[in-house]
Amino acid sequence: MLEGKFDEASLLKKVIDAMKDSVKLCNFNCTENGISVQAIDDSRVLLISLLIEAGSFEDYRCDRNIVLGLEMESLNKIIKNGNASDMLTLVAEDSPDALNLIFEDKRRDRIAEYSLKLMDIDQDFLKIEDMKFDAVVNMPSAEFAKICRDMKTLSESLQIIITKDSVKFNSEGDFGSGSVVIKSFTDLEKTEESVRITLEKPINLTFGAKYLNDIIKSTPLASQVTIKLCDKQPALFEYQLPSGYLRFYLAPKFED
Amino acid sequence: DGLQSTLGEFFPTE
């Protein structure tokens, strides 16, 4: 049996909100260590890897491994019915045909209970070995989100160029072009505002702006985003959870 | 503006 209680529904609300526009069907794998998901978008360009460790829950138990096949839009409809500050408990039997979601208001005696039918989802699984990266950028997630939104107004592609101490986001469109340069910066008082660049080799990669604009839906989850890049390889965008992560692997674009 | 690659080109399917 699975029983996982979040102190606040807000965490799962943000996670589902970040995923639902990229993937429609997901298997949520529940083990004694927590809940994990690997899901790929229909175009097979963007992969989501989610890990909500047991430590993200106030109470967590999962006696046997359980797979919950969930339709994200349906899950989102139910999740939206709960308040962000509600306690949220996920309950499923050992061989479940439904996931129960219980929202409890902390101030009042109000309990809302929902049942979501499970689906049998046949998904293939991509084997991602430990990747080596040439460059790692830690920067404020809100700043990264603004850059992705701004650059998408110009072009469907966004070029990321990293040299010693700066990251250049470059966009070349039909009616014009634009770029934003971010430099390493340490804010001792507000560490979440800092930009850290770790570079082994210079990077020049191009990504689809559409996918980046799906990734930035994770911005409410974490004040910083970590971007890991390697020449001619998929990039990794990571948002840390209190205990766990939401990662996106994005395949690059290449010259014709 | 460039050819979009897919993740299957980089990661094997299990």
Side-chain angles (χ1 to χ4, degrees):
Chain A
M1 186 175 178
L2 165 75
E3 202 169 319
K5 184 186 221 174
F6 291 103
D7 182 47
E8 290 204 331
S10 60
L11 178 69
L12 194 63
K13 280 168 92 76
K14 289 174 191 170
V15 166
I16 303 306
D17 209 41
M19 295 169 65
K20 69 176 173 36
D21 295 331
S22 301
V23 288
K24 295 186 184 80
L25 303 169
C26 293
N27 280 325
F28 282 62
N29 301 294
C30 310
T31 70
E32 60 178 355
N33 300 319
I35 298 177
S36 64
V37 175
Q38 189 198 87
I40 309 166
D41 86 307
D42 285 345
S43 61
R44 305 189 69 78
V45 171
L46 183 67
L47 181 145
I48 295 177
S49 176
L50 168 70
L51 175 63
I52 308 175
E53 290 178 323
S56 287
F57 295 84
E58 187 172 280
D59 293 314
Y60 183 86
R61 62 174 270 227
C62 183
D63 312 321
R64 279 188 203 173
N65 292 357
I66 301 172
V67 179
L68 305 172
L70 297 171
E71 206 268 311
M72 297 300 282
E73 198 51 52
S74 308
L75 175 60
N76 190 49
K77 282 178 187 168
I78 288 177
I79 288 273
K80 278 168 77 175
N81 292 346
N83 295 316
S85 60
D86 286 351
M87 284 190 289
L88 168 59
T89 308
L90 307 177
V91 182
E93 302 296 331
D94 278 345
S95 298
D97 51 18
L99 169 67
N100 294 314
L101 300 97
I102 303 154
F103 296 92
E104 293 175 75
D105 190 312
K106 286 174 193 160
R107 288 170 302 159
R108 292 175 290 168
D109 286 336
R110 186 174 63 80
I111 297 175
E113 190 165 349
Y114 297 89
S115 172
L116 176 61
K117 286 180 190 165
L118 299 180
M119 302 178 72
D120 196 9
I121 301 168
D122 186 21
Q123 276 179 332
D124 55 359
F125 194 85
L126 292 187
K127 192 173 178 184
I128 300 171
E129 303 284 352
D130 278 344
M131 295 171 68
K132 285 194 172 179
F133 295 100
D134 294 330
V136 178
V137 179
N138 294 283
M139 65 181 289
S141 58
E143 191 158 4
F144 177 62
K146 176 168 168 52
I147 291 167
C148 290
R149 282 195 299 270
D150 292 352
M151 294 292 109
K152 190 173 183 293
T153 62
L154 292 158
S155 168
E156 283 306 309
S157 294
L158 178 63
Q159 192 182 12
I160 302 179
I161 302 161
I162 308 181
T163 49
K164 193 173 165 230
D165 62 349
S166 71
V167 186
K168 183 178 183 182
F169 298 90
N170 194 45
S171 189
E172 306 275 343
D174 293 336
F175 67 87
S177 62
S179 68
V180 178
V181 175
I182 302 283
K183 295 195 170 178
S184 290
F185 165 75
T186 305
D187 190 324
L188 291 172
E189 289 189 2
K190 292 184 185 170
T191 51
E192 69 274 15
E193 295 291 318
S194 298
V195 175
R196 194 169 79 234
I197 300 165
T198 312
L199 185 70
E200 285 189 23
K201 281 185 200 163
I203 290 289
N204 185 343
L205 285 166
T206 302
F207 299 98
K210 163 189 176 316
Y211 299 102
L212 291 166
N213 276 265
D214 282 335
I215 291 170
I216 59 170
K217 288 168 187 164
S218 303
T219 305
L221 277 170
S223 58
Q224 286 254 318
V225 59
T226 302
I227 306 167
K228 298 182 179 182
L229 300 154
C230 185
D231 190 32
K232 296 185 173 67
Q233 293 287 323
L236 170 56
F237 301 84
E238 180 172 306
Y239 296 81
Q240 288 289 334
L241 305 185
S243 183
Y245 54 75
L246 182 59
R247 289 177 180 161
F248 297 85
Y249 293 86
L250 177 59
K253 281 184 158 185
F254 294 115
E255 294 296 320
D256 289 341
Chain B
D1 55 345
L3 283 177
Q4 177 64 63
S5 61
T6 62
L7 291 165
E9 295 168 40
F10 305 96
F11 304 127
T13 305
E14 270 191 354

